[in-house]
Amino acid sequence: MQDVFDLVIFGGGGDLSRRKLLPALFSGFVAGRVSKDSRIFLTSRKGLEGSTEPWLKDVFKETPPACDMDAKSLKDFAGMVHVVELGLVEGGADWEALKGALAADDENRPLVHFLAIPPSLFTSTCELLGAYGLNNDRARVVLEKPLGHDLATAQAINADVGRFFKESQTFRIDHYLGKEAVQNLLALRFSNILFEELWSGRTIDHIQITIAENQGLQGRKGFYEGTGAMRDMVQNHLLQLLCLVAMEPPARLEADSIREEKLKVLKSLKPLEGAEIDRNVVRGQYQAGAMFGEAVKGYADDLELDSPSNTETFVALKAHIENWRWAGVPFYLRTGKRLPDRFAEIVIQFKQIPHSPHPGWGTNINPNRFIIRMQPEDHLALRMMVKNHSSADEKLKEVEMNLDVAGDDALRIGPYLRLILDAVRGDQSLFVHRDEVEHAWRWVDRIIGHWETSSEPPESYQAGTWGPYEAHDLMTRDRREWFHET
Ligand code: BG6
């Protein structure tokens, strides 16, 4: 299906637009998912250097789209892209021009405003959209995370945006929800009785969710120093993944039902306080180390700071959901920069068998694990023990049952394109409701507040290792281990 729409990317020349949105839109165009009749407006305070086509070529050189790029496709795509010089604090002739450019003959053509700008500009931009009538019925606004800096700022943004856009027009994006394997997790959980029957503390020992990155700051120094891993990754991506794994089956796979169930999970998260935070939450910061045979700098040197920074680049924590299904099941969440590998993965670890009926069959009986890998590749696998034909001593071996659906690669689209197209169609299933954002902040704020009042700096870890020792200890204390820690 081809979508025809008008998309305005506020912050069109910025990092998010260059690294994620434009490559995704171009791939969508080449794959025939975005019609050439669509229009993409890039707003920027100072305009762009040079004309659009060579500029786009440079953008795609930096971040190659997930498709082949030939001169004709680039030229056609460039023809859809319009650059608009625009300030986001005050209105004026530039806004009149945008309004004029966006006038459409077709009242039903969706108009999506993607705010790829710092949250501090959300309010003034929405006010201006309102003042120029660009919040009309065909309009939707997409808000990039992090939404605010804490609960109070998130509430203020939600209230401000809410003055100009209805909740049904507001799309809070978390690109992890657009990943293919996350879709597959929902399909699998709610289309198979097998999983639902096993999906609780009766059978599951614990759950691990890891988003590991080997990269450092990638030029986002100012942003990161004021944000840190808890606000950048845990408050949104990791807690959203936890919600999808833990939520009850929704009545229908539709926005309201899904979001209601996710919200219940956030409301059931056991709040951590004081000493519990010290015991269950590890924060770390990378120091100089080596990665892929090359020396890399520590965080403070990456930022060229004279004094030490208190910002965490790593978080590992143990959380509990206080409800019937998950009582007593720990959820271990972990994320960090400059770790040895880049991957995102959910590991559902089932309980050990209660009794081995074959005492002579070897001792290595691993618990079953269901692994949902979101990147770098999508992969769903069930690990189980079977008879080992090739060893006289160890009669059992672990095998992996691969649950990937082969052959539909052409239909796969990246998370940003999927979510933009959902916003175009008005489907909010994979977007976050304001109540979810606020509850996630409420939980995270307690931890950050505790860090701020204690004078403890983050634990150190060497770049290229799996984080501070304390993260390892978080697991071994419970006689468990991170699935990837070698
Ligand atoms: C973003 C964070 O939301 O997600 C970045 O701001 C992080 O710091 C990125 O690098 C990770 O996304 P992905 O899809 O590359 O894992």
Side-chain angles (χ1 to χ4, degrees):
M1 176 172 149
Q2 273 207 336
D3 287 280
V4 184
F5 53 86
D6 287 340
L7 169 69
V8 187
I9 304 179
F10 291 87
D15 190 61
L16 180 70
S17 173
R18 298 168 66 102
R19 285 202 303 128
K20 303 277 190 192
L21 306 184
L22 289 168
L25 287 161
F26 180 70
S27 305
F29 170 68
V30 172
R33 304 293 289 261
V34 173
S35 152
K36 68 173 177 15
D37 296 326
S38 294
R39 300 183 299 171
I40 300 167
F41 297 85
L42 305 181
T43 86
S44 145
R45 214 157 19 105
K46 294 190 198 127
L48 304 177
E49 268 172 40
S51 55
T52 318
E53 196 179 325
W55 182 83
L56 281 172
K57 203 169 174 184
D58 283 349
V59 167
F60 296 152
K61 220 182 268 162
E62 269 170 41
T63 311
C67 63
D68 292 338
M69 190 169 69
D70 60 74
K72 168 142 184 7
S73 311
L74 182 69
K75 190 173 178 357
D76 290 348
F77 183 71
M80 296 161 56
V81 176
H82 310 271
V83 179
V84 186
E85 252 183 83
L86 195 79
L88 300 182
V89 181
E90 274 174 31
D94 48 358
W95 275 87
E96 287 292 352
L98 177 66
K99 183 178 175 174
L102 285 174
D105 300 338
D106 178 2
E107 293 274 298
N108 295 322
R109 172 191 271 239
L111 166 61
V112 176
H113 302 296
F114 197 121
L115 306 197
I117 47 179
S120 53
L121 289 170
F122 285 0
T123 300
S124 61
T125 306
C126 288
E127 272 166 3
L128 287 162
L129 287 169
Y132 286 87
L134 293 173
N135 58 342
N136 50 26
D137 283 350
R138 71 182 187 105
R140 280 126 218 197
V141 65
V142 179
L143 308 174
E144 178 59 37
K145 59 140 284 270
L147 201 97
H149 195 69
D150 53 17
L151 175 62
T153 47
Q155 282 174 326
I157 291 173
N158 279 331
D160 286 344
V161 173
R163 284 191 285 129
F164 303 98
F165 291 93
K166 292 180 244 163
E167 183 62 26
S168 58
Q169 292 177 291
T170 308
F171 291 72
R172 297 175 195 81
I173 205 166
D174 183 315
H175 75 276
Y176 263 75
L177 298 187
K179 294 197 187 243
E180 186 73 24
V182 174
Q183 314 286 297
N184 225 341
L185 166 65
L186 291 180
L188 221 77
R189 268 200 71 190
F190 302 125
S191 320
N192 296 285
I193 192 76
L194 183 67
F195 287 100
E196 175 48 27
E197 291 291 300
L198 297 177
W199 214 259
S200 78
R202 281 197 300 277
T203 329
I204 290 175
D205 175 72
H206 75 274
I207 292 178
Q208 303 182 14
I209 309 179
T210 298
I211 304 180
E213 298 187 89
N214 47 26
Q215 280 163 328
L217 302 182
Q218 296 180 283
R220 298 154 80 218
K221 296 181 187 176
F223 163 78
Y224 202 84
E225 175 60 3
T227 307
M230 185 60 103
R231 291 186 174 99
D232 187 37
M233 301 294 287
V234 180
Q235 191 273 344
N236 32 79
H237 303 324
L238 280 165
L239 287 184
Q240 281 294 319
L241 292 179
L242 175 138
C243 286
L244 292 178
V245 173
M247 72 186 191
E248 295 300 313
R252 307 173 73 89
L253 270 185
E254 282 174 2
D256 286 352
S257 299
I258 295 175
R259 288 156 29 134
E260 228 165 77
E261 294 306 337
K262 285 196 291 159
L263 181 62
K264 285 188 204 155
V265 175
L266 291 167
K267 285 184 177 169
S268 314
L269 267 180
K270 179 173 186 271
L272 294 173
E273 319 262 3
E276 280 179 323
I277 296 178
D278 296 331
R279 194 168 159 71
N280 293 306
V281 188
V282 179
R283 63 196 294 244
Q285 188 187 88
Y286 65 82
Q287 310 296 321
M291 300 195 62
F292 311 113
E294 281 186 23
V296 294
K297 290 184 189 165
Y299 176 74
D301 285 336
D302 270 345
L303 282 182
E304 296 164 0
L305 295 175
D306 296 332
S307 52
S309 154
N310 244 356
T311 300
E312 76 286 350
T313 60
F314 177 96
V315 174
L317 60 84
K318 177 161 81 162
H320 278 98
I321 297 170
E322 297 185 306
N323 66 14
W324 194 302
R325 186 186 287 264
W326 296 115
V329 179
F331 285 73
Y332 298 93
L333 313 187
R334 176 174 64 155
T335 186
K337 303 245 181 231
R338 288 287 189 225
L339 301 185
D341 202 355
R342 173 178 184 260
F343 67 87
E345 195 168 82
I346 302 173
V347 178
I348 317 284
Q349 181 154 328
F350 292 90
K351 290 188 171 166
Q352 203 36 287
I353 51 168
H355 164 73
S356 169
H358 323 284
W361 277 34
T363 47
N364 288 336
I365 302 186
N366 293 336
N368 295 134
R369 292 191 185 105
F370 178 39
I371 297 157
I372 303 146
R373 189 168 252 250
M374 284 153 282
Q375 68 188 19
E377 72 292 338
D378 308 329
H379 186 68
L380 290 157
L382 199 51
R383 289 200 166 195
M384 51 181 83
M385 302 304 293
V386 295
K387 176 89 174 65
N388 186 1
H389 297 290
S390 47
S391 160
D393 302 327
E394 287 296 335
K395 296 217 165 65
L396 296 172
K397 68 174 177 185
E398 189 177 46
V399 291
E400 198 167 279
M401 187 167 140
N402 194 330
L403 300 174
D404 289 350
V405 189
D408 58 358
D409 276 358
L411 294 177
R412 291 182 181 222
I413 55 176
Y416 271 101
L417 181 63
R418 165 176 286 120
L419 294 172
I420 289 172
L421 295 181
D422 280 357
V424 163
R425 294 172 199 150
D427 180 353
Q428 292 185 309
S429 315
L430 298 174
F431 290 84
V432 184
H433 190 274
R434 63 184 287 173
D435 294 344
E436 291 177 69
V437 173
E438 293 178 11
H439 271 278
W441 274 123
R442 211 164 263 138
W443 193 77
V444 155
D445 271 0
R446 270 208 187 80
I447 301 173
I448 297 177
H450 178 73
W451 288 344
E452 282 170 359
T453 47
S454 80
S455 47
E456 294 292 315
E459 308 292 343
S460 298
Y461 63 98
Q462 245 187 3
T465 65
W466 285 108
Y469 171 77
E470 286 74 4
H472 169 77
D473 191 46
L474 184 72
M475 282 290 198
T476 51
R477 244 177 21 214
D478 294 350
R479 295 169 191 256
R480 297 187 173 106
E481 55 187 19
W482 293 106
F483 186 53
H484 285 278
E485 202 182 33
T486 43

